[in-house]
Amino acid sequence: MSDSVIGQPFTRIDGKWKVTGRAKYGVDYYFDRLVYGVGVASTIGNGRVGGIDAAEAEKMPGVLAILHHGNIEHLYHPANQFEDQSRPGESRPPFEDDRVYYYGQFVALVIAETFEQALDAASHVRVDYEAKPPVVRLDRAAQPTGEPQAHQARGDAESGFQQAPVKLDVTYVTPVETHNPMEMHATIAVWDKAKQKYTLYETSQGVVNHRNVASQVLGVPMESVEVISRFIGSGFGCKLFPWPHSWLAAIGSRHLERPVKVSVPRTLMFTTVGHRPTIEQHVRLGATQDGKLLATINEVRQSTSFIDAYLEDCVDPTSMLYSCPNVKGTQREIRMNTGTPTPMRGPGRTPSLFALESAMDELAVKLNLDPIDVRLRNYADKDEGSGKPWSSKRLREAYQMGAERFGWKRRNPKVGSMRKGDEILGWGMATMTWPGHRQEAEVHVRLLADGTARASCATQDIGTGTYTIFAEVVSDRTGIPVDKIQVVLGDTSLPPGPTSGGSFTTATVIPAIYQASDKAVNAVLKAAAKYQGFSGADPKSLKMTQGRVHPQDKPPSSGVPFQEILQSQNLVGLDGKVKTGPTDEMKKYSIHSFGAHFCEVAWDPEILRLRVSRWLSVVDGGRMMNAKTARNQILGAVVMGIGMGMLEETVYDTRTGHPINNNFADYMVAVNADVPELECIFLDYPDPVLNEYGARGIGEIGLTGCASALTMATYHATGVRIRELPIRIEKLMAGSVKEEN
Ligand code: MOS
């Protein structure tokens, strides 16, 4: 496969469309008679709407309609079935009743001829509230009762812990974080009365899911909704499942019989389109004096809204990551007055690994052992949670290669011992892990008489490189150059494809593209048997390489370009259409990616400055489909990890439930000044189980482990152990006066 395009550092095929402005994002569409909807959002965090007085606003220039719970047309509750690609972000239809569950919940929508008119009128809608105190902190919420929502158990964890000679008993907290993609949520809804059909122009990580939920909420057949999302300015999870503004746009459009655009402003991106829940993890590790785990216990409490159950599993890694005879993990949801949480890059495992990997470091410190050594002493040679063998696991090699490249053996474990000029260096490391999945996908490949190919599927490219992966696989199977392959994605009128989430899109679409390409090639070979040059030949004796059809036993140069065969028979193109899904073989294995982060922080105690000065990630993520887009995923995740570790936290005013840092000035994400040169190595061992190339997907794994590597490095430099993210200078100042550990 040496001349294969697979794995080459191809630039994204959509890159030039984006930088030249040719790529049309959801809000870039324009329609005749387009009107604008602006939401009125609740200014209380709990209670009910007493009354809405829209009289003044209704008379304002350009105002066409003001929708609220008193006049909204009927909307239905969606079925909420993730497996069937019909999961909403928030299941409550907007304006269903007068209840207010969270600050920033839509309570009315003003539609006007211009955006400015709608914005102005929205500020003149008078809403009376009956407010009750909101709950926006885990420690002030009603404690959950009954069975935990997630559970892991083997052996006897409680007595294993009691009997262990070495015990660690600590609690870790991760705050609410907000996704903040550059492209904000927005919908343009176009109702076609003649066809009785809605077309929704969206920014969606799952157009098929969005379409399915839309048909349920709006109460129309699936065929009556088309969802289009050709380009997405990233999502990080908050665009996986649809949110209320989309239904408001649709209803508005049907009501007025005009296209309606509803944008979610940045402030409401913090309330009504999901967030990472706050999660508290009470971790207890029991171990022998030489660091072998005897018991691992993680008791987890996480927030969700009063509207929806929402769980992100933090106890699965508790069970599978290390070898340990006695394990217990329980996880419970706690209701708060926020919008419904939603997956944010690496859901479950990212917070889980902050706790588990921090605890492993605290154990290493306690036992005076090297942190990598402690991990190797508890290396899991199979998945002890499921009992299944790994499909492929090279974590040991990731630790070793990382340690070598980072220079780990030069690390002096003594706190504050590694000086460089005015700064004290701290070194940290952590494991990363993320499961490999595969869903269903249908792909259509057409080889065309002009020598090009076209591949289409309703999956979408959220900025990760899916367009490019499609072109690469078609090119690899047909020999048609990448620049002659057109890829069409992000429209529910195309063959159904997966949601772009869970890092499973690449692994999911590869088999369908691969097999559809082969099927199209076979159709060409069959046609070739009627072509004069090969007349009478058995199609099986022919093959297609470098876009040329030739006898198996002769070089490509002896054959003819495939398009000549199509042209000679007056065919516009020949098709391969294939649907693929998970296999039985997959069920025999535990399929996960692994890796290790190594980082260095520099602490200047004179000016209380903590900065990240070095980062290395070694990733065992199966075969890399594209060296450039793969690297981009890991680097992007580490930038996000620096944000998670040092900056990100959504802060609520406990009196009102208002997220007070609801903007880019106050909610800080890592920027260039926070990020050093990042290095990333892929081990590139194909996974033999998941698909034809052995790719496992790498969208989320890079974020797992980042925060614990950072807090560990921070401890090493400062002696302060941060168990509640983010690391803040105030916490380091407070901690530096009292000795920890
Ligand atoms: Mo990912 S949080 O499934 O977009």
PDB file of all heavy atoms in Angstrom, residues 357-358 427-430 597-599 601 615 705-714:
ATOM      1  N   GLU A 357      -6.974   9.649  36.912  1.00  0.00           N
ATOM      2  CA  GLU A 357      -5.549   9.851  36.653  1.00  0.00           C
ATOM      3  C   GLU A 357      -4.903  10.741  37.712  1.00  0.00           C
ATOM      4  O   GLU A 357      -3.733  10.575  38.047  1.00  0.00           O
ATOM      5  CB  GLU A 357      -5.347  10.426  35.247  1.00  0.00           C
ATOM      6  CG  GLU A 357      -5.591   9.403  34.159  1.00  0.00           C
ATOM      7  CD  GLU A 357      -4.609   8.241  34.243  1.00  0.00           C
ATOM      8  OE1 GLU A 357      -3.439   8.403  33.877  1.00  0.00           O
ATOM      9  OE2 GLU A 357      -5.028   7.178  34.734  1.00  0.00           O
ATOM     10  N   SER A 358      -5.657  11.692  38.256  1.00  0.00           N
ATOM     11  CA  SER A 358      -5.125  12.488  39.364  1.00  0.00           C
ATOM     12  C   SER A 358      -4.908  11.589  40.574  1.00  0.00           C
ATOM     13  O   SER A 358      -3.894  11.687  41.272  1.00  0.00           O
ATOM     14  CB  SER A 358      -6.096  13.610  39.738  1.00  0.00           C
ATOM     15  OG  SER A 358      -6.228  14.521  38.676  1.00  0.00           O
ATOM     16  N   TRP A 427       6.538  18.660  35.932  1.00  0.00           N
ATOM     17  CA  TRP A 427       6.251  17.708  34.856  1.00  0.00           C
ATOM     18  C   TRP A 427       5.100  16.809  35.262  1.00  0.00           C
ATOM     19  O   TRP A 427       5.080  16.271  36.381  1.00  0.00           O
ATOM     20  CB  TRP A 427       7.485  16.835  34.562  1.00  0.00           C
ATOM     21  CG  TRP A 427       8.587  17.570  33.841  1.00  0.00           C
ATOM     22  CD1 TRP A 427       8.663  18.916  33.586  1.00  0.00           C
ATOM     23  CD2 TRP A 427       9.774  16.991  33.285  1.00  0.00           C
ATOM     24  NE1 TRP A 427       9.815  19.216  32.904  1.00  0.00           N
ATOM     25  CE2 TRP A 427      10.531  18.050  32.710  1.00  0.00           C
ATOM     26  CE3 TRP A 427      10.278  15.691  33.213  1.00  0.00           C
ATOM     27  CZ2 TRP A 427      11.755  17.833  32.072  1.00  0.00           C
ATOM     28  CZ3 TRP A 427      11.501  15.483  32.591  1.00  0.00           C
ATOM     29  CH2 TRP A 427      12.225  16.545  32.014  1.00  0.00           C
ATOM     30  N   GLY A 428       4.196  16.630  34.332  1.00  0.00           N
ATOM     31  CA  GLY A 428       3.062  15.744  34.582  1.00  0.00           C
ATOM     32  C   GLY A 428       2.819  14.835  33.393  1.00  0.00           C
ATOM     33  O   GLY A 428       3.286  15.100  32.278  1.00  0.00           O
ATOM     34  N   MET A 429       2.113  13.767  33.645  1.00  0.00           N
ATOM     35  CA  MET A 429       1.715  12.864  32.555  1.00  0.00           C
ATOM     36  C   MET A 429       0.358  12.268  32.929  1.00  0.00           C
ATOM     37  O   MET A 429      -0.038  12.284  34.104  1.00  0.00           O
ATOM     38  CB  MET A 429       2.754  11.756  32.304  1.00  0.00           C
ATOM     39  CG  MET A 429       3.089  10.841  33.467  1.00  0.00           C
ATOM     40  SD  MET A 429       1.889   9.539  33.824  1.00  0.00           S
ATOM     41  CE  MET A 429       1.791   8.680  32.255  1.00  0.00           C
ATOM     42  N   ALA A 430      -0.338  11.772  31.939  1.00  0.00           N
ATOM     43  CA  ALA A 430      -1.600  11.083  32.216  1.00  0.00           C
ATOM     44  C   ALA A 430      -1.950  10.182  31.041  1.00  0.00           C
ATOM     45  O   ALA A 430      -1.507  10.411  29.913  1.00  0.00           O
ATOM     46  CB  ALA A 430      -2.735  12.087  32.445  1.00  0.00           C
ATOM     47  N   HIS A 597      -0.346  11.641  27.629  1.00  0.00           N
ATOM     48  CA  HIS A 597       0.096  13.032  27.543  1.00  0.00           C
ATOM     49  C   HIS A 597       1.281  13.240  28.480  1.00  0.00           C
ATOM     50  O   HIS A 597       1.305  12.686  29.582  1.00  0.00           O
ATOM     51  CB  HIS A 597      -1.005  13.993  28.021  1.00  0.00           C
ATOM     52  CG  HIS A 597      -2.187  14.105  27.118  1.00  0.00           C
ATOM     53  ND1 HIS A 597      -2.105  14.589  25.827  1.00  0.00           N
ATOM     54  CD2 HIS A 597      -3.500  13.830  27.336  1.00  0.00           C
ATOM     55  CE1 HIS A 597      -3.322  14.595  25.298  1.00  0.00           C
ATOM     56  NE2 HIS A 597      -4.174  14.136  26.185  1.00  0.00           N
ATOM     57  N   PHE A 598       2.213  14.079  28.061  1.00  0.00           N
ATOM     58  CA  PHE A 598       3.310  14.512  28.924  1.00  0.00           C
ATOM     59  C   PHE A 598       3.353  16.034  28.836  1.00  0.00           C
ATOM     60  O   PHE A 598       3.322  16.582  27.728  1.00  0.00           O
ATOM     61  CB  PHE A 598       4.652  13.932  28.439  1.00  0.00           C
ATOM     62  CG  PHE A 598       4.731  12.445  28.627  1.00  0.00           C
ATOM     63  CD1 PHE A 598       4.123  11.593  27.724  1.00  0.00           C
ATOM     64  CD2 PHE A 598       5.402  11.901  29.714  1.00  0.00           C
ATOM     65  CE1 PHE A 598       4.170  10.209  27.906  1.00  0.00           C
ATOM     66  CE2 PHE A 598       5.461  10.529  29.897  1.00  0.00           C
ATOM     67  CZ  PHE A 598       4.845   9.676  28.999  1.00  0.00           C
ATOM     68  N   CYS A 599       3.404  16.698  29.985  1.00  0.00           N
ATOM     69  CA  CYS A 599       3.433  18.153  29.895  1.00  0.00           C
ATOM     70  C   CYS A 599       4.352  18.766  30.942  1.00  0.00           C
ATOM     71  O   CYS A 599       4.705  18.136  31.945  1.00  0.00           O
ATOM     72  CB  CYS A 599       2.030  18.747  30.009  1.00  0.00           C
ATOM     73  SG  CYS A 599       1.347  18.746  31.654  1.00  0.00           S
ATOM     74  N   VAL A 601       4.851  22.476  33.060  1.00  0.00           N
ATOM     75  CA  VAL A 601       4.423  23.834  33.367  1.00  0.00           C
ATOM     76  C   VAL A 601       5.609  24.582  33.958  1.00  0.00           C
ATOM     77  O   VAL A 601       6.532  23.976  34.513  1.00  0.00           O
ATOM     78  CB  VAL A 601       3.232  23.888  34.360  1.00  0.00           C
ATOM     79  CG1 VAL A 601       2.001  23.208  33.781  1.00  0.00           C
ATOM     80  CG2 VAL A 601       3.601  23.295  35.714  1.00  0.00           C
ATOM     81  N   TRP A 615       4.491  20.295  25.634  1.00  0.00           N
ATOM     82  CA  TRP A 615       3.433  19.266  25.605  1.00  0.00           C
ATOM     83  C   TRP A 615       3.761  18.201  24.554  1.00  0.00           C
ATOM     84  O   TRP A 615       4.120  18.531  23.425  1.00  0.00           O
ATOM     85  CB  TRP A 615       2.062  19.880  25.289  1.00  0.00           C
ATOM     86  CG  TRP A 615       0.943  18.990  25.753  1.00  0.00           C
ATOM     87  CD1 TRP A 615       0.577  17.787  25.206  1.00  0.00           C
ATOM     88  CD2 TRP A 615       0.098  19.199  26.884  1.00  0.00           C
ATOM     89  NE1 TRP A 615      -0.454  17.246  25.935  1.00  0.00           N
ATOM     90  CE2 TRP A 615      -0.774  18.086  26.968  1.00  0.00           C
ATOM     91  CE3 TRP A 615      -0.016  20.214  27.836  1.00  0.00           C
ATOM     92  CZ2 TRP A 615      -1.743  17.967  27.961  1.00  0.00           C
ATOM     93  CZ3 TRP A 615      -0.991  20.095  28.813  1.00  0.00           C
ATOM     94  CH2 TRP A 615      -1.839  18.981  28.877  1.00  0.00           C
ATOM     95  N   GLY A 705      -7.458  13.104  29.849  1.00  0.00           N
ATOM     96  CA  GLY A 705      -6.146  13.090  30.514  1.00  0.00           C
ATOM     97  C   GLY A 705      -5.447  14.431  30.598  1.00  0.00           C
ATOM     98  O   GLY A 705      -4.579  14.627  31.459  1.00  0.00           O
ATOM     99  N   CYS A 706      -5.802  15.374  29.720  1.00  0.00           N
ATOM    100  CA  CYS A 706      -5.082  16.661  29.697  1.00  0.00           C
ATOM    101  C   CYS A 706      -5.090  17.347  31.068  1.00  0.00           C
ATOM    102  O   CYS A 706      -4.056  17.772  31.570  1.00  0.00           O
ATOM    103  CB  CYS A 706      -5.717  17.626  28.696  1.00  0.00           C
ATOM    104  SG  CYS A 706      -5.285  17.311  26.998  1.00  0.00           S
ATOM    105  N   ALA A 707      -6.276  17.469  31.659  1.00  0.00           N
ATOM    106  CA  ALA A 707      -6.389  18.255  32.887  1.00  0.00           C
ATOM    107  C   ALA A 707      -5.621  17.606  34.027  1.00  0.00           C
ATOM    108  O   ALA A 707      -5.008  18.303  34.852  1.00  0.00           O
ATOM    109  CB  ALA A 707      -7.861  18.437  33.265  1.00  0.00           C
ATOM    110  N   SER A 708      -5.610  16.279  34.093  1.00  0.00           N
ATOM    111  CA  SER A 708      -4.869  15.644  35.185  1.00  0.00           C
ATOM    112  C   SER A 708      -3.362  15.751  34.954  1.00  0.00           C
ATOM    113  O   SER A 708      -2.599  15.899  35.918  1.00  0.00           O
ATOM    114  CB  SER A 708      -5.312  14.201  35.404  1.00  0.00           C
ATOM    115  OG  SER A 708      -5.581  13.559  34.209  1.00  0.00           O
ATOM    116  N   ALA A 709      -2.920  15.687  33.686  1.00  0.00           N
ATOM    117  CA  ALA A 709      -1.490  15.903  33.424  1.00  0.00           C
ATOM    118  C   ALA A 709      -1.088  17.301  33.910  1.00  0.00           C
ATOM    119  O   ALA A 709      -0.004  17.496  34.486  1.00  0.00           O
ATOM    120  CB  ALA A 709      -1.190  15.741  31.931  1.00  0.00           C
ATOM    121  N   LEU A 710      -1.997  18.266  33.697  1.00  0.00           N
ATOM    122  CA  LEU A 710      -1.703  19.655  34.097  1.00  0.00           C
ATOM    123  C   LEU A 710      -1.696  19.851  35.611  1.00  0.00           C
ATOM    124  O   LEU A 710      -0.809  20.516  36.151  1.00  0.00           O
ATOM    125  CB  LEU A 710      -2.756  20.590  33.491  1.00  0.00           C
ATOM    126  CG  LEU A 710      -2.444  21.158  32.123  1.00  0.00           C
ATOM    127  CD1 LEU A 710      -3.647  21.909  31.594  1.00  0.00           C
ATOM    128  CD2 LEU A 710      -1.233  22.076  32.188  1.00  0.00           C
ATOM    129  N   THR A 711      -2.683  19.270  36.288  1.00  0.00           N
ATOM    130  CA  THR A 711      -2.710  19.454  37.749  1.00  0.00           C
ATOM    131  C   THR A 711      -1.548  18.703  38.397  1.00  0.00           C
ATOM    132  O   THR A 711      -1.011  19.142  39.411  1.00  0.00           O
ATOM    133  CB  THR A 711      -4.050  18.987  38.363  1.00  0.00           C
ATOM    134  OG1 THR A 711      -4.332  17.672  37.934  1.00  0.00           O
ATOM    135  CG2 THR A 711      -5.181  19.914  37.970  1.00  0.00           C
ATOM    136  N   MET A 712      -1.157  17.610  37.783  1.00  0.00           N
ATOM    137  CA  MET A 712      -0.005  16.863  38.295  1.00  0.00           C
ATOM    138  C   MET A 712       1.274  17.672  38.129  1.00  0.00           C
ATOM    139  O   MET A 712       2.096  17.771  39.049  1.00  0.00           O
ATOM    140  CB  MET A 712       0.087  15.544  37.516  1.00  0.00           C
ATOM    141  CG  MET A 712       1.299  14.714  37.802  1.00  0.00           C
ATOM    142  SD  MET A 712       1.106  13.154  36.877  1.00  0.00           S
ATOM    143  CE  MET A 712       2.765  12.507  37.093  1.00  0.00           C
ATOM    144  N   ALA A 713       1.435  18.262  36.950  1.00  0.00           N
ATOM    145  CA  ALA A 713       2.615  19.107  36.709  1.00  0.00           C
ATOM    146  C   ALA A 713       2.600  20.309  37.655  1.00  0.00           C
ATOM    147  O   ALA A 713       3.645  20.728  38.183  1.00  0.00           O
ATOM    148  CB  ALA A 713       2.631  19.574  35.249  1.00  0.00           C
ATOM    149  N   THR A 714       1.406  20.838  37.885  1.00  0.00           N
ATOM    150  CA  THR A 714       1.269  21.995  38.778  1.00  0.00           C
ATOM    151  C   THR A 714       1.643  21.617  40.214  1.00  0.00           C
ATOM    152  O   THR A 714       2.334  22.367  40.914  1.00  0.00           O
ATOM    153  CB  THR A 714      -0.180  22.534  38.707  1.00  0.00           C
ATOM    154  OG1 THR A 714      -0.454  22.874  37.349  1.00  0.00           O
ATOM    155  CG2 THR A 714      -0.371  23.750  39.592  1.00  0.00           C
TER     156      THR A 714
END
